[in-house]
Amino acid sequence: MWGGSPLGLSSAAVPSPPRSSRERARLQVDERRSQLLELGLQLFSDHSYDELSIDDIARAAGISKGLLYHYFPSKRDYYVEVVRRAAGQLIERTDAASQEVSVEALHGALDAYLDFVDQHARSYVALVRGGIGSDPEVVQLLEATRRTLTERIVSRISADEPPPLLRLALRGWIGLVESASLDWLDRREVPREQLRGLLEQMLVATIMAAGVTPPVL
Amino acid sequence: MWGGSPLGLSSAAVPSPPRSSRERARLQVDERRSQLLELGLQLFSDHSYDELSIDDIARAAGISKGLLYHYFPSKRDYYVEVVRRAAGQLIERTDAASQEVSVEALHGALDAYLDFVDQHARSYVALVRGGIGSDPEVVQLLEATRRTLTERIVSRISADEPPPLLRLALRGWIGLVESASLDWLDRREVPREQLRGLLEQMLVATIMAAGVTPPVL
DNA sequence: ACGCGCTATTGAATCAAAGTCAATAGTCGA
DNA sequence: TCGACTATTGACTTTGATTCAATAGCGCGT
């Protein structure tokens, strides 16, 4: 059903192993590991989890299947690590902007977020769509990422735990940001500033709807 | 990695085949088909796609593996049909309320939606989380479902195609509804009416943020 | 009632892809 | 230069999806 040929993606779709040296290239553990994660991010951005076989991945990396298992205990673990790395990048790249204060802070944070969305469109889509069907670990990972993003905002509203309704509302807003971002990538009908403006306004509305007076703006 | 025992879910986790009659029970095509879809909805609500093997499903249905393939060309197709049915139910159950007018209409529609969320919690979660990693057909199916839901609302704002920004904003709102619903199910910290109120307010805010004056409210 | 054909149903065989492991071979320190 | 350590391999095992020829309920015509 999936791919007509033996594997949906042969030499054509998947990057070939490093050009020349077709010998055993022995790398340092960390190098290889991050090479594999890097590659995984690319591959999973273009192909769904079970479109990609371990053999495909190994071939694309120019290594044997066995080696993949030397680095990751299972395909699933490998996938989870790839997602973890992507989530980490999202957190990182949107971090710088969050140190400023007040209005500019929000502005900057959203800009950074949309930068990421824009520049890593395919990875972003793969990331938020969550890949594997409800793998508990992936779900948890994504949820943790969203929490981190949320907390940056919450911390600007109050130092304490937010009341339940506000938490719920903010969680909803994150969902809004993700859905809007996906739709935006898909159509590109609206200028980016307009999207940012929309998300900003919606955040304010969210906070107010939760019965809290927004401190800034 | 996944289940310790041969299959993560043996007789314990999965409903047993129909009590008595352990002979070939020959059913009408439509009966069997919907029995299988019904069962699938339950199973996939509790277990992820690849936690469930075809054998598990067949065993739970009290039929042979081969018969499943008589009804559905592949496990994936089976899954897609199950999702389609669940999406259909969501659309159905929230449909009655959408024929009324104005404020009550929105109220009623959201109530119906939250009824579904509440009563079919597990299926709802499985549904919106999308199951399989970005299976194109599933993604498309869910997107179509969201569009249907959105259009019920849009049609009350204007008869025409909504401007791009409004479309985008409403798509975002749907994401907000889904995220908030999931979070609500997960924690149950907030009374249901409060959630409905939040979603209502957010819809108004969404429409306004998109630069449109909401016709009602 | 009775047999006959249609097709729902089965179970064993096939195939693909995940996961294992003993054997091989770079590389680095002495 | 020589081991020793371990990254790397490839062939094997296992698991689970998919196929298919053979079997057997059930309704229909007589």
Side-chain angles (χ1 to χ4, degrees):
Chain A
M1 172 99 264
W2 263 118
S5 43
L7 8 125
L9 24 98
S10 35
S11 358
V14 165
S16 294
R19 26 266 151 236
S20 44
S21 72
R22 245 355 27 248
E23 303 311 315
R24 282 199 180 187
R26 188 188 173 115
L27 272 68
Q28 291 306 309
V29 170
D30 289 348
E31 284 181 72
R32 176 111 300 159
R33 192 183 153 86
S34 54
Q35 174 216 339
L36 291 177
L37 289 175
E38 192 59 47
L39 176 67
L41 184 53
Q42 294 179 230
L43 292 180
F44 284 121
S45 294
D46 288 333
H47 309 281
S48 73
Y49 181 77
D50 39 34
E51 236 176 341
L52 279 174
S53 72
I54 288 281
D55 294 270
D56 288 335
I57 298 168
R59 191 174 320 120
I63 63 173
S64 73
K65 186 189 348 208
L67 191 54
L68 243 165
Y69 283 96
H70 182 67
Y71 285 91
F72 305 94
S74 72
K75 183 182 176 187
R76 226 183 173 100
D77 281 274
Y78 174 58
Y79 178 79
V80 172
E81 288 311 305
V82 169
V83 172
R84 191 189 308 286
R85 155 175 286 226
Q89 287 180 1
L90 175 61
I91 294 291
E92 256 179 51
R93 313 257 180 140
T94 57
D95 192 28
S98 77
Q99 300 311 328
E100 310 165 26
V101 201
S102 77
V103 193
E104 279 70 30
L106 174 56
H107 216 78
L110 275 174
D111 257 337
Y113 188 89
L114 291 178
D115 273 341
F116 188 92
V117 170
D118 206 351
Q119 286 166 26
H120 305 74
R122 294 205 317 260
S123 318
Y124 178 79
V125 173
L127 182 63
V128 303
R129 286 223 178 117
I132 297 176
S134 314
D135 176 306
E137 235 184 310
V138 173
V139 169
Q140 195 182 316
L141 188 53
L142 292 180
E143 216 38 61
T145 306
R146 289 172 179 127
R147 194 178 325 122
T148 302
L149 293 172
T150 314
E151 274 164 6
R152 287 188 188 154
I153 292 165
V154 173
S155 66
R156 217 158 282 129
I157 300 176
S158 138
D160 317 317
E161 260 310 273
L165 184 61
L166 180 58
R167 245 210 67 265
L168 178 64
L170 286 173
R171 184 60 192 77
W173 179 75
I174 295 280
L176 182 148
V177 171
E178 290 178 358
S179 295
S181 296
L182 288 177
D183 193 74
W184 180 65
L185 285 177
D186 199 36
R187 312 209 166 208
R188 304 266 190 186
E189 293 172 337
V190 159
R192 187 195 143 126
E193 295 69 35
Q194 215 171 2
L195 172 58
R196 197 199 50 219
L198 179 72
L199 299 179
E200 273 175 6
Q201 284 186 64
M202 290 310 296
L203 178 57
V204 175
T206 299
I207 296 171
M208 286 176 51
V212 178
T213 309
V216 292
L217 283 187
Chain B
M1 171 99 265
W2 267 118
S5 44
L7 9 126
L9 24 100
S10 35
S11 357
V14 165
S16 295
R19 27 264 151 238
S20 46
S21 71
R22 233 20 357 264
E23 303 310 315
R24 284 200 177 188
R26 189 188 172 117
L27 273 67
Q28 292 305 311
V29 170
D30 289 348
E31 286 181 70
R32 176 109 299 161
R33 192 182 154 86
S34 52
Q35 174 216 339
L36 291 176
L37 289 175
E38 192 60 47
L39 175 68
L41 183 53
Q42 295 180 229
L43 292 179
F44 284 123
S45 294
D46 288 333
H47 310 281
S48 73
Y49 181 77
D50 38 36
E51 237 175 339
L52 280 174
S53 71
I54 286 283
D55 295 86
D56 288 334
I57 298 169
R59 190 172 324 120
I63 62 173
S64 73
K65 192 184 353 205
L67 189 55
L68 242 165
Y69 282 95
H70 182 65
Y71 285 91
F72 306 93
S74 72
K75 182 183 176 186
R76 228 186 173 96
D77 280 274
Y78 174 58
Y79 178 78
V80 171
E81 288 312 307
V82 168
V83 172
R84 192 188 308 285
R85 154 175 286 229
Q89 287 180 0
L90 175 61
I91 295 292
E92 255 178 51
R93 312 256 180 140
T94 57
D95 192 29
S98 79
Q99 301 311 328
E100 311 166 24
V101 201
S102 75
V103 194
E104 279 70 29
L106 174 56
H107 217 78
L110 274 174
D111 257 336
Y113 189 89
L114 292 179
D115 273 341
F116 188 92
V117 170
D118 206 351
Q119 285 166 28
H120 306 76
R122 294 204 317 259
S123 318
Y124 178 79
V125 173
L127 182 64
V128 304
R129 286 226 178 115
I132 296 174
S134 314
D135 177 307
E137 233 183 311
V138 172
V139 169
Q140 196 183 315
L141 188 52
L142 292 180
E143 218 38 62
T145 306
R146 291 174 177 125
R147 195 179 325 121
T148 302
L149 293 173
T150 314
E151 273 162 9
R152 287 192 188 152
I153 292 166
V154 172
S155 67
R156 216 157 282 129
I157 301 177
S158 141
D160 316 317
E161 260 309 273
L165 184 61
L166 180 58
R167 245 208 67 267
L168 178 64
L170 286 172
R171 184 61 192 75
W173 180 75
I174 295 281
L176 182 148
V177 171
E178 291 179 358
S179 296
S181 297
L182 287 177
D183 193 74
W184 180 66
L185 285 178
D186 198 36
R187 312 207 166 211
R188 305 268 189 184
E189 293 172 336
V190 160
R192 189 195 141 127
E193 295 69 36
Q194 213 171 4
L195 172 58
R196 197 199 49 218
L198 179 73
L199 299 179
E200 273 176 6
Q201 284 187 62
M202 291 308 297
L203 178 57
V204 175
T206 300
I207 296 170
M208 287 176 51
V212 178
T213 308
V216 291
L217 284 187

Coordinates of all heavy atoms in Angstrom, one line a residue, chain A residues 1 19 28 44 49 68 83 88 90 119 139 160 175 192 200 211 213:
Chain A
M1 N 0.8 -1.2 0.0 CA 0.0 0.0 0.0 C 0.8 1.3 0.0 O 0.6 2.2 -0.6 CB -0.9 0.0 1.2 CG -1.6 1.3 1.5 SD -3.3 1.3 0.9 CE -3.2 2.0 -0.8
R19 N 29.8 10.5 -0.1 CA 30.4 10.2 -1.4 C 31.4 9.1 -1.4 O 31.0 7.9 -1.6 CB 31.0 11.5 -2.0 CG 31.5 12.5 -0.9 CD 30.4 13.6 -0.6 NE 30.5 14.1 0.7 CZ 29.5 14.1 1.6 NH1 28.3 13.6 1.2 NH2 29.6 14.6 2.8
Q28 N 34.0 8.9 16.4 CA 33.8 9.0 17.8 C 32.3 8.8 18.1 O 31.4 9.2 17.3 CB 34.2 10.4 18.3 CG 35.7 10.6 18.2 CD 36.5 9.5 18.9 OE1 36.2 9.1 20.1 NE2 37.4 8.8 18.2
F44 N 12.8 12.3 9.1 CA 11.5 12.3 9.6 C 10.7 13.6 9.3 O 9.5 13.6 9.5 CB 11.5 12.1 11.2 CG 11.8 10.7 11.6 CD1 12.9 10.4 12.3 CD2 11.0 9.6 11.1 CE1 13.2 9.1 12.7 CE2 11.2 8.3 11.5 CZ 12.3 8.0 12.3
Y49 N 6.9 8.1 10.2 CA 7.6 7.1 11.0 C 7.7 5.7 10.3 O 8.8 5.1 10.2 CB 6.9 6.9 12.4 CG 7.6 5.9 13.3 CD1 8.8 6.2 13.9 CD2 7.0 4.6 13.4 CE1 9.4 5.3 14.8 CE2 7.6 3.7 14.3 CZ 8.8 4.0 14.9 OH 9.4 3.1 15.8
L68 N 23.1 1.2 14.1 CA 22.0 2.0 14.6 C 21.5 1.5 16.0 O 21.3 2.2 16.9 CB 20.8 2.0 13.7 CG 20.4 3.4 13.1 CD1 19.5 3.2 11.9 CD2 19.8 4.3 14.1
V83 N 13.0 13.6 18.1 CA 12.0 14.5 18.5 C 12.5 15.4 19.6 O 12.4 16.6 19.6 CB 10.7 13.9 18.9 CG1 9.7 14.9 19.5 CG2 10.1 13.2 17.7
G88 N 14.3 20.5 21.6 CA 15.3 21.3 22.2 C 15.7 22.5 21.4 O 15.9 23.6 21.9
L90 N 13.9 24.1 19.3 CA 12.8 25.1 19.3 C 13.0 25.9 20.6 O 12.9 27.1 20.6 CB 11.5 24.4 19.3 CG 10.3 25.3 19.5 CD1 10.2 26.3 18.4 CD2 9.0 24.5 19.5
Q119 N 11.7 29.0 9.2 CA 13.0 28.4 8.8 C 13.1 26.9 8.8 O 13.8 26.3 8.0 CB 14.1 29.0 9.5 CG 14.4 30.4 9.1 CD 15.4 31.1 10.1 OE1 16.1 30.5 10.8 NE2 15.2 32.4 10.3
V139 N 4.4 12.2 23.5 CA 3.4 13.1 24.0 C 3.9 13.8 25.2 O 3.7 15.1 25.2 CB 2.1 12.3 24.4 CG1 1.1 13.1 25.2 CG2 1.4 11.7 23.2
D160 N 3.6 33.2 40.9 CA 3.0 31.9 41.5 C 2.5 31.0 40.4 O 2.5 31.3 39.2 CB 1.8 32.2 42.4 CG 2.1 33.4 43.3 OD1 3.3 33.5 43.8 OD2 1.2 34.3 43.4
G175 N -2.1 25.8 21.8 CA -2.8 25.1 20.7 C -3.1 26.0 19.5 O -3.0 25.6 18.4
R192 N 3.5 37.6 7.6 CA 3.9 37.2 8.9 C 3.6 38.1 10.0 O 3.3 37.7 11.1 CB 5.4 37.0 8.7 CG 6.1 36.3 9.9 CD 7.5 36.5 9.8 NE 8.1 36.8 11.1 CZ 9.1 36.1 11.6 NH1 9.7 35.2 10.8 NH2 9.5 36.3 12.8
E200 N -0.5 37.8 19.2 CA -0.4 38.7 20.3 C -1.8 39.1 20.9 O -2.0 38.9 22.1 CB 0.3 40.0 19.9 CG 1.8 39.9 19.9 CD 2.5 41.2 19.4 OE1 1.7 42.1 19.0 OE2 3.7 41.2 19.2
G211 N -9.9 35.8 33.2 CA -10.3 36.6 34.4 C -9.1 37.3 35.1 O -9.1 37.7 36.2
T213 N -6.1 40.4 34.8 CA -5.8 41.6 34.1 C -4.4 41.5 33.6 O -3.5 41.3 34.4 CB -5.9 42.8 35.0 OG1 -7.2 42.8 35.6 CG2 -5.8 44.1 34.2

